[in-house]
Amino acid sequence: HNLEMKHLPGADPELVLLSHQYKELERIPLSDMTREEINQLVQELGFYRKETPDAPVPEEFQFAPARPLPTLPPPQAPTADSKTPPEHDEGEHPDL
């Protein structure tokens, strides 16, 4: 579930993990792995394997293996020794 295989002739096989916005998160080369190792990797990454192609997917796996979005650290207040650009008057051009 949520795994799509695309064969690209001449390209080395790799697993490309995408975010929910289809942005690339990671590329994992597969050429040195056996089928069993690839199946194990996919399971470890959290993909759900359906019993049959038309089997329903449990609700908890509908969006699996989606990872939580990375959280950015909160912006820090400038310290006394940090260099902050001087503020300009509204009509003043910053290069002047």
Side-chain angles (χ1 to χ4, degrees), residues 54-70:
D54 60 340
V57 176
E59 188 174 333
E60 64 268 22
F61 291 103
Q62 287 295 319
F63 299 104
R67 297 179 182 168
L69 294 174

Side-chain angles (χ1 to χ4, degrees), residues 15 28 30 33 36-45:
L15 177 63
I28 302 170
L30 302 175
M33 298 176 78
E36 291 79 22
E37 290 171 329
I38 293 170
N39 285 336
Q40 183 179 354
L41 170 66
V42 169
Q43 281 188 318
E44 288 171 0
L45 289 171

